[in-house]
Amino acid sequence: LGVFGGDLAGVSLVVVVPLIVLSGLAGGAVAEELGWRGYALPRLQARLGGTAASVALGIAWTVWHLPLYYIPGVSAGPPFGWYLPRLVATCVLMTWLFNHTRGSVFHAMLFHAAVNGSEALVSGTLGTPFLKLRYGQVMTLLTMGAALAVLAVWGRDLDGGVTQSGNTTGRS
């Protein structure tokens, strides 16, 4: 909890949870999601479909964060080899979310903020680089598992027959 500039251990979750969400929103979720989901995803999805658009955005999103790996004292997350598949899998989940909320960038921002906030909260409590590495690896595997489950249930288009306007396409 020291990520927030002090010891919040005695503070109620009613206060801490909104702080985590606000921290995540301020930490890139708003600006990034306006670009990734608000601008790029609809255009990529129209040309490539949901899965390919998610992979393309995941790679672009990882490259976007690449400079963080070279700034002393800044942690970009797990090693790059673990970060790339995690962000691609996260993009699959966010494409599904975007499509099932009628193209809501706001929901994508909240999801992004929740990921950033929980990452900061948990990784801030892990004391050693080894534990942080293992946490990053476990989160990557869990995110990939969730993305594979979404693909298995909803298929490669990630829309389950729902368009951004909320109309059904007749597919299941």
PDB file of all heavy atoms in Angstrom, residues 121-143:
ATOM      1  N   LEU A 121      -1.289  -2.591  -6.089  1.00  0.00           N
ATOM      2  CA  LEU A 121      -1.575  -2.985  -4.711  1.00  0.00           C
ATOM      3  C   LEU A 121      -0.830  -4.264  -4.350  1.00  0.00           C
ATOM      4  O   LEU A 121      -0.141  -4.327  -3.341  1.00  0.00           O
ATOM      5  CB  LEU A 121      -3.081  -3.180  -4.522  1.00  0.00           C
ATOM      6  CG  LEU A 121      -3.538  -3.611  -3.136  1.00  0.00           C
ATOM      7  CD1 LEU A 121      -3.289  -2.495  -2.138  1.00  0.00           C
ATOM      8  CD2 LEU A 121      -5.009  -3.979  -3.163  1.00  0.00           C
ATOM      9  N   VAL A 122      -0.940  -5.279  -5.178  1.00  0.00           N
ATOM     10  CA  VAL A 122      -0.331  -6.571  -4.860  1.00  0.00           C
ATOM     11  C   VAL A 122       1.182  -6.521  -5.014  1.00  0.00           C
ATOM     12  O   VAL A 122       1.913  -6.937  -4.108  1.00  0.00           O
ATOM     13  CB  VAL A 122      -0.935  -7.702  -5.726  1.00  0.00           C
ATOM     14  CG1 VAL A 122      -0.194  -9.007  -5.499  1.00  0.00           C
ATOM     15  CG2 VAL A 122      -2.411  -7.869  -5.412  1.00  0.00           C
ATOM     16  N   SER A 123       1.673  -6.014  -6.123  1.00  0.00           N
ATOM     17  CA  SER A 123       3.125  -6.034  -6.333  1.00  0.00           C
ATOM     18  C   SER A 123       3.841  -5.136  -5.327  1.00  0.00           C
ATOM     19  O   SER A 123       4.995  -5.390  -4.997  1.00  0.00           O
ATOM     20  CB  SER A 123       3.483  -5.646  -7.768  1.00  0.00           C
ATOM     21  OG  SER A 123       3.148  -4.311  -8.023  1.00  0.00           O
ATOM     22  N   GLY A 124       3.155  -4.122  -4.821  1.00  0.00           N
ATOM     23  CA  GLY A 124       3.750  -3.261  -3.807  1.00  0.00           C
ATOM     24  C   GLY A 124       3.948  -3.961  -2.475  1.00  0.00           C
ATOM     25  O   GLY A 124       4.730  -3.504  -1.643  1.00  0.00           O
ATOM     26  N   THR A 125       3.265  -5.066  -2.261  1.00  0.00           N
ATOM     27  CA  THR A 125       3.397  -5.802  -1.005  1.00  0.00           C
ATOM     28  C   THR A 125       4.383  -6.961  -1.113  1.00  0.00           C
ATOM     29  O   THR A 125       4.699  -7.586  -0.105  1.00  0.00           O
ATOM     30  CB  THR A 125       2.028  -6.366  -0.549  1.00  0.00           C
ATOM     31  OG1 THR A 125       1.574  -7.323  -1.507  1.00  0.00           O
ATOM     32  CG2 THR A 125       1.007  -5.259  -0.379  1.00  0.00           C
ATOM     33  N   LEU A 126       4.852  -7.255  -2.315  1.00  0.00           N
ATOM     34  CA  LEU A 126       5.795  -8.361  -2.505  1.00  0.00           C
ATOM     35  C   LEU A 126       7.212  -7.839  -2.302  1.00  0.00           C
ATOM     36  O   LEU A 126       7.619  -6.881  -2.962  1.00  0.00           O
ATOM     37  CB  LEU A 126       5.634  -8.964  -3.899  1.00  0.00           C
ATOM     38  CG  LEU A 126       4.244  -9.524  -4.205  1.00  0.00           C
ATOM     39  CD1 LEU A 126       4.166  -9.955  -5.657  1.00  0.00           C
ATOM     40  CD2 LEU A 126       3.899 -10.672  -3.275  1.00  0.00           C
ATOM     41  N   GLY A 127       7.935  -8.469  -1.417  1.00  0.00           N
ATOM     42  CA  GLY A 127       9.215  -7.921  -0.996  1.00  0.00           C
ATOM     43  C   GLY A 127      10.400  -8.218  -1.871  1.00  0.00           C
ATOM     44  O   GLY A 127      11.327  -7.432  -1.944  1.00  0.00           O
ATOM     45  N   THR A 128      10.396  -9.331  -2.567  1.00  0.00           N
ATOM     46  CA  THR A 128      11.606  -9.697  -3.297  1.00  0.00           C
ATOM     47  C   THR A 128      11.356  -9.726  -4.800  1.00  0.00           C
ATOM     48  O   THR A 128      10.233  -9.957  -5.240  1.00  0.00           O
ATOM     49  CB  THR A 128      12.093 -11.099  -2.866  1.00  0.00           C
ATOM     50  OG1 THR A 128      11.140 -12.070  -3.297  1.00  0.00           O
ATOM     51  CG2 THR A 128      12.281 -11.180  -1.359  1.00  0.00           C
ATOM     52  N   PRO A 129      12.397  -9.524  -5.588  1.00  0.00           N
ATOM     53  CA  PRO A 129      12.242  -9.627  -7.042  1.00  0.00           C
ATOM     54  C   PRO A 129      11.734 -11.006  -7.466  1.00  0.00           C
ATOM     55  O   PRO A 129      10.976 -11.112  -8.432  1.00  0.00           O
ATOM     56  CB  PRO A 129      13.658  -9.368  -7.572  1.00  0.00           C
ATOM     57  CG  PRO A 129      14.305  -8.545  -6.519  1.00  0.00           C
ATOM     58  CD  PRO A 129      13.730  -9.040  -5.217  1.00  0.00           C
ATOM     59  N   PHE A 130      12.136 -12.054  -6.753  1.00  0.00           N
ATOM     60  CA  PHE A 130      11.681 -13.404  -7.078  1.00  0.00           C
ATOM     61  C   PHE A 130      10.164 -13.515  -6.937  1.00  0.00           C
ATOM     62  O   PHE A 130       9.492 -14.055  -7.814  1.00  0.00           O
ATOM     63  CB  PHE A 130      12.369 -14.441  -6.181  1.00  0.00           C
ATOM     64  CG  PHE A 130      11.881 -15.844  -6.415  1.00  0.00           C
ATOM     65  CD1 PHE A 130      12.309 -16.560  -7.528  1.00  0.00           C
ATOM     66  CD2 PHE A 130      10.986 -16.443  -5.539  1.00  0.00           C
ATOM     67  CE1 PHE A 130      11.855 -17.848  -7.755  1.00  0.00           C
ATOM     68  CE2 PHE A 130      10.530 -17.727  -5.756  1.00  0.00           C
ATOM     69  CZ  PHE A 130      10.965 -18.438  -6.871  1.00  0.00           C
ATOM     70  N   LEU A 131       9.615 -12.985  -5.835  1.00  0.00           N
ATOM     71  CA  LEU A 131       8.161 -13.038  -5.643  1.00  0.00           C
ATOM     72  C   LEU A 131       7.436 -12.215  -6.697  1.00  0.00           C
ATOM     73  O   LEU A 131       6.382 -12.608  -7.190  1.00  0.00           O
ATOM     74  CB  LEU A 131       7.781 -12.556  -4.244  1.00  0.00           C
ATOM     75  CG  LEU A 131       8.110 -13.501  -3.097  1.00  0.00           C
ATOM     76  CD1 LEU A 131       7.771 -12.837  -1.758  1.00  0.00           C
ATOM     77  CD2 LEU A 131       7.372 -14.816  -3.244  1.00  0.00           C
ATOM     78  N   LYS A 132       7.990 -11.071  -7.056  1.00  0.00           N
ATOM     79  CA  LYS A 132       7.373 -10.235  -8.090  1.00  0.00           C
ATOM     80  C   LYS A 132       7.394 -10.951  -9.437  1.00  0.00           C
ATOM     81  O   LYS A 132       6.416 -10.888 -10.184  1.00  0.00           O
ATOM     82  CB  LYS A 132       8.078  -8.889  -8.183  1.00  0.00           C
ATOM     83  CG  LYS A 132       7.788  -8.002  -6.990  1.00  0.00           C
ATOM     84  CD  LYS A 132       8.462  -6.659  -7.094  1.00  0.00           C
ATOM     85  CE  LYS A 132       8.166  -5.841  -5.848  1.00  0.00           C
ATOM     86  NZ  LYS A 132       8.693  -4.498  -5.914  1.00  0.00           N
ATOM     87  N   LEU A 133       8.486 -11.642  -9.735  1.00  0.00           N
ATOM     88  CA  LEU A 133       8.566 -12.413 -10.977  1.00  0.00           C
ATOM     89  C   LEU A 133       7.513 -13.510 -10.979  1.00  0.00           C
ATOM     90  O   LEU A 133       6.778 -13.678 -11.957  1.00  0.00           O
ATOM     91  CB  LEU A 133       9.958 -13.023 -11.150  1.00  0.00           C
ATOM     92  CG  LEU A 133      10.111 -14.021 -12.303  1.00  0.00           C
ATOM     93  CD1 LEU A 133       9.883 -13.322 -13.645  1.00  0.00           C
ATOM     94  CD2 LEU A 133      11.466 -14.699 -12.248  1.00  0.00           C
ATOM     95  N   ARG A 134       7.415 -14.272  -9.897  1.00  0.00           N
ATOM     96  CA  ARG A 134       6.441 -15.362  -9.824  1.00  0.00           C
ATOM     97  C   ARG A 134       5.012 -14.818  -9.921  1.00  0.00           C
ATOM     98  O   ARG A 134       4.168 -15.402 -10.586  1.00  0.00           O
ATOM     99  CB  ARG A 134       6.605 -16.176  -8.531  1.00  0.00           C
ATOM    100  CG  ARG A 134       7.832 -17.013  -8.518  1.00  0.00           C
ATOM    101  CD  ARG A 134       7.756 -18.096  -9.608  1.00  0.00           C
ATOM    102  NE  ARG A 134       8.979 -18.850  -9.662  1.00  0.00           N
ATOM    103  CZ  ARG A 134       9.845 -18.808 -10.668  1.00  0.00           C
ATOM    104  NH1 ARG A 134       9.621 -18.058 -11.716  1.00  0.00           N
ATOM    105  NH2 ARG A 134      10.935 -19.533 -10.631  1.00  0.00           N
ATOM    106  N   TYR A 135       4.745 -13.692  -9.268  1.00  0.00           N
ATOM    107  CA  TYR A 135       3.424 -13.074  -9.366  1.00  0.00           C
ATOM    108  C   TYR A 135       3.124 -12.711 -10.826  1.00  0.00           C
ATOM    109  O   TYR A 135       2.038 -12.987 -11.343  1.00  0.00           O
ATOM    110  CB  TYR A 135       3.355 -11.827  -8.477  1.00  0.00           C
ATOM    111  CG  TYR A 135       2.128 -10.993  -8.720  1.00  0.00           C
ATOM    112  CD1 TYR A 135       0.881 -11.417  -8.252  1.00  0.00           C
ATOM    113  CD2 TYR A 135       2.195  -9.797  -9.426  1.00  0.00           C
ATOM    114  CE1 TYR A 135      -0.255 -10.656  -8.489  1.00  0.00           C
ATOM    115  CE2 TYR A 135       1.069  -9.038  -9.656  1.00  0.00           C
ATOM    116  CZ  TYR A 135      -0.152  -9.473  -9.187  1.00  0.00           C
ATOM    117  OH  TYR A 135      -1.278  -8.725  -9.421  1.00  0.00           O
ATOM    118  N   GLY A 136       4.090 -12.103 -11.517  1.00  0.00           N
ATOM    119  CA  GLY A 136       3.904 -11.733 -12.918  1.00  0.00           C
ATOM    120  C   GLY A 136       3.643 -12.944 -13.793  1.00  0.00           C
ATOM    121  O   GLY A 136       2.800 -12.918 -14.689  1.00  0.00           O
ATOM    122  N   GLN A 137       4.354 -14.025 -13.530  1.00  0.00           N
ATOM    123  CA  GLN A 137       4.164 -15.244 -14.307  1.00  0.00           C
ATOM    124  C   GLN A 137       2.787 -15.853 -14.050  1.00  0.00           C
ATOM    125  O   GLN A 137       2.094 -16.250 -14.994  1.00  0.00           O
ATOM    126  CB  GLN A 137       5.272 -16.249 -13.977  1.00  0.00           C
ATOM    127  CG  GLN A 137       6.624 -15.808 -14.476  1.00  0.00           C
ATOM    128  CD  GLN A 137       7.752 -16.664 -13.939  1.00  0.00           C
ATOM    129  OE1 GLN A 137       7.684 -17.219 -12.845  1.00  0.00           O
ATOM    130  NE2 GLN A 137       8.826 -16.761 -14.710  1.00  0.00           N
ATOM    131  N   VAL A 138       2.391 -15.911 -12.799  1.00  0.00           N
ATOM    132  CA  VAL A 138       1.071 -16.475 -12.457  1.00  0.00           C
ATOM    133  C   VAL A 138      -0.035 -15.625 -13.070  1.00  0.00           C
ATOM    134  O   VAL A 138      -0.986 -16.157 -13.660  1.00  0.00           O
ATOM    135  CB  VAL A 138       0.902 -16.606 -10.928  1.00  0.00           C
ATOM    136  CG1 VAL A 138      -0.543 -16.884 -10.545  1.00  0.00           C
ATOM    137  CG2 VAL A 138       1.822 -17.689 -10.386  1.00  0.00           C
ATOM    138  N   MET A 139       0.076 -14.306 -12.982  1.00  0.00           N
ATOM    139  CA  MET A 139      -0.952 -13.434 -13.556  1.00  0.00           C
ATOM    140  C   MET A 139      -1.012 -13.574 -15.075  1.00  0.00           C
ATOM    141  O   MET A 139      -2.088 -13.527 -15.667  1.00  0.00           O
ATOM    142  CB  MET A 139      -0.717 -11.979 -13.148  1.00  0.00           C
ATOM    143  CG  MET A 139      -0.984 -11.720 -11.677  1.00  0.00           C
ATOM    144  SD  MET A 139      -2.602 -12.315 -11.108  1.00  0.00           S
ATOM    145  CE  MET A 139      -3.707 -11.388 -12.124  1.00  0.00           C
ATOM    146  N   THR A 140       0.127 -13.754 -15.712  1.00  0.00           N
ATOM    147  CA  THR A 140       0.144 -13.971 -17.161  1.00  0.00           C
ATOM    148  C   THR A 140      -0.594 -15.258 -17.506  1.00  0.00           C
ATOM    149  O   THR A 140      -1.443 -15.274 -18.405  1.00  0.00           O
ATOM    150  CB  THR A 140       1.587 -14.008 -17.692  1.00  0.00           C
ATOM    151  OG1 THR A 140       2.191 -12.738 -17.447  1.00  0.00           O
ATOM    152  CG2 THR A 140       1.622 -14.315 -19.181  1.00  0.00           C
ATOM    153  N   LEU A 141      -0.295 -16.326 -16.797  1.00  0.00           N
ATOM    154  CA  LEU A 141      -0.945 -17.610 -17.078  1.00  0.00           C
ATOM    155  C   LEU A 141      -2.449 -17.547 -16.808  1.00  0.00           C
ATOM    156  O   LEU A 141      -3.248 -18.082 -17.583  1.00  0.00           O
ATOM    157  CB  LEU A 141      -0.289 -18.728 -16.267  1.00  0.00           C
ATOM    158  CG  LEU A 141       1.166 -19.038 -16.657  1.00  0.00           C
ATOM    159  CD1 LEU A 141       1.773 -20.039 -15.683  1.00  0.00           C
ATOM    160  CD2 LEU A 141       1.259 -19.533 -18.094  1.00  0.00           C
ATOM    161  N   LEU A 142      -2.850 -16.887 -15.722  1.00  0.00           N
ATOM    162  CA  LEU A 142      -4.288 -16.749 -15.429  1.00  0.00           C
ATOM    163  C   LEU A 142      -4.995 -15.906 -16.492  1.00  0.00           C
ATOM    164  O   LEU A 142      -6.107 -16.241 -16.920  1.00  0.00           O
ATOM    165  CB  LEU A 142      -4.492 -16.136 -14.037  1.00  0.00           C
ATOM    166  CG  LEU A 142      -4.139 -17.023 -12.855  1.00  0.00           C
ATOM    167  CD1 LEU A 142      -4.216 -16.227 -11.553  1.00  0.00           C
ATOM    168  CD2 LEU A 142      -5.052 -18.243 -12.794  1.00  0.00           C
ATOM    169  N   THR A 143      -4.357 -14.826 -16.914  1.00  0.00           N
ATOM    170  CA  THR A 143      -4.953 -13.969 -17.947  1.00  0.00           C
ATOM    171  C   THR A 143      -5.076 -14.724 -19.264  1.00  0.00           C
ATOM    172  O   THR A 143      -6.101 -14.637 -19.954  1.00  0.00           O
ATOM    173  CB  THR A 143      -4.126 -12.683 -18.123  1.00  0.00           C
ATOM    174  OG1 THR A 143      -3.986 -12.043 -16.850  1.00  0.00           O
ATOM    175  CG2 THR A 143      -4.790 -11.727 -19.089  1.00  0.00           C
TER     176      THR A 143
END
